[in-house]
Amino acid sequence: VISENQKIAIESVLKFLFRKFIKRFNIFIKKIILKKILFLFFVVSSFSYCQTKVDKKALKTELDSIYKVDQTFRSLLDRSTEDDITFLNKQGYTLDEFKRNSWPIINKHDSLNLIIIEEIIKKHGYPGKSLVGEPTNKAAWYVIQHSDKINKYLPIIEKAGKENELPMTLVAMMKDRQLMFDNKEQIYGTQGTTRMITNKVTGKQEYRWFIWPIKNPENINQLRKSTGFSTTVEENAARLDIVYKVYTLEQVKNLDFD
């Protein structure tokens, strides 16, 4: 027969053992939960890392495709190789169709490319060198340069240039183009354009190509060199099949090219 004191002692021991068991059990459960949490965190982190790498690769592929569309259509204005004709066929055009409707086709694809580029910039910022490498970092620039939204994206382009995500020469070219659009003097002498004039000798209408008026033309080549251009303003004009002459905004306004 167990005495009352013995019962109390046994109950105390059992309670102590039970509490100790519960404490160890809780620690065991917590360790299991913690391990599961750490495992899930590792899996999610690994997946996110891999997904980021996949997204960068996919983004680069998409931008390379856009760059090819932008540049190949324009190169077809001057020449057509077998590769160019294959490209046209893949886009759904024959060479004859393109020759008859070259600029409507180019403008159509420029608009489609711009929609994609605007979404990319909205999501990633400017897709520069650190994100997609070179020369893919130029793809978005070309699309914007060939659009009517330069003014909207010029601050982003300038920021990309300052952060070495994009060559400063391209930043300069876009800035010059916007200044020309605004009927202001360009800075780096990168932009040429044309006007319809009456030839004073023949009396016939003809296009006159010229380099858009430049601010401080006497120092332009020094500025171009310090910006990173490898050509002078005269050499750049020759590349555009233009004979370089200095004109003022007033002369351009009055079509005075003599």
Side-chain angles (χ1 to χ4, degrees):
V1 178
I2 301 174
S3 67
E4 190 64 29
N5 288 335
Q6 288 175 324
K7 286 182 179 181
I8 293 173
I10 291 171
E11 287 178 359
S12 297
V13 171
L14 290 174
K15 286 179 180 179
F16 172 77
L17 292 173
F18 181 73
R19 284 196 298 270
K20 195 170 183 180
F21 170 77
I22 292 298
K23 185 177 181 180
R24 289 186 176 181
F25 180 76
N26 285 337
I27 293 173
F28 174 73
I29 293 298
K30 286 179 181 179
K31 284 183 177 180
I32 292 177
I33 293 173
L34 181 61
K35 285 181 179 179
K36 286 187 175 182
I37 291 173
L38 290 173
F39 175 74
L40 288 172
F41 177 78
F42 174 76
V43 170
V44 171
S45 298
S46 298
F47 177 77
S48 297
Y49 175 73
C50 293
Q51 187 66 35
T52 300
K53 290 190 72 175
V54 170
D55 285 346
K56 283 186 178 182
K57 185 176 180 181
L59 180 60
K60 175 177 169 52
T61 300
E62 185 173 32
L63 287 167
D64 285 339
S65 176
I66 287 172
Y67 176 84
K68 183 176 181 180
V69 168
D70 181 279
Q71 291 298 289
T72 306
F73 273 129
R74 283 171 168 79
S75 69
L76 278 159
L77 295 170
D78 301 316
R79 52 98 175 132
S80 56
T81 65
E82 288 186 11
D83 288 341
D84 294 332
I85 294 172
T86 299
F87 165 82
L88 275 179
N89 292 337
K90 286 183 178 179
Q91 297 295 324
Y93 308 107
T94 64
L95 184 58
D96 287 338
E97 285 174 327
F98 179 77
K99 287 181 177 179
R100 289 195 305 269
N101 302 286
S102 55
W103 279 109
I105 290 172
I106 289 173
N107 291 335
K108 171 188 173 183
H109 286 275
D110 282 354
S111 298
L112 294 173
N113 286 341
L114 182 62
I115 292 170
I116 299 171
I117 291 300
E118 288 193 293
E119 285 300 314
I120 289 173
I121 291 176
K122 188 185 297 183
K123 184 176 180 181
H124 300 284
Y126 185 84
K129 182 170 66 174
S130 62
L131 183 62
V132 295
E134 297 177 303
T136 310
N137 61 328
K138 299 177 183 179
W141 179 89
Y142 275 105
V143 173
I144 296 169
Q145 182 78 341
H146 295 148
S147 77
D148 59 357
K149 294 192 176 182
I150 290 177
N151 199 41
K152 176 180 178 181
Y153 290 105
L154 184 55
I156 294 175
I157 296 296
E158 290 178 320
K159 181 174 181 289
K162 289 177 182 177
E163 294 175 352
N164 199 31
E165 295 292 338
L166 191 68
M168 284 303 297
T169 51
L170 296 185
V171 179
M173 290 173 69
M174 185 170 287
K175 193 166 186 176
D176 272 358
R177 182 160 292 190
Q178 184 58 48
L179 287 168
M180 183 177 68
F181 288 166
D182 293 338
N183 287 313
K184 296 178 181 179
E185 294 172 318
Q186 62 176 321
I187 298 171
Y188 303 94
T190 64
Q191 300 300 299
T193 188
T194 187
R195 291 288 189 275
M196 177 71 78
I197 67 167
T198 300
N199 188 305
K200 292 182 179 180
V201 176
T202 65
K204 294 181 179 180
Q205 294 283 298
E206 64 183 29
Y207 283 105
R208 174 66 60 87
W209 284 89
F210 60 98
I211 295 297
W212 184 259
I214 300 169
K215 185 177 182 180
N216 299 323
E218 62 277 4
N219 299 316
I220 186 61
N221 285 328
Q222 183 179 348
L223 176 61
R224 285 176 64 86
K225 185 176 181 180
S226 66
T227 305
F229 289 101
S230 60
T231 58
T232 64
V233 68
E234 292 85 1
E235 290 168 338
N236 180 59
R239 180 184 65 85
L240 299 171
D241 292 326
I242 296 173
V243 176
Y244 176 65
K245 288 186 179 180
V246 176
Y247 292 113
T248 65
L249 291 174
E250 190 67 20
Q251 285 176 303
V252 172
K253 179 181 178 182
N254 296 326
L255 299 180
D256 180 11
F257 294 104
D258 293 331

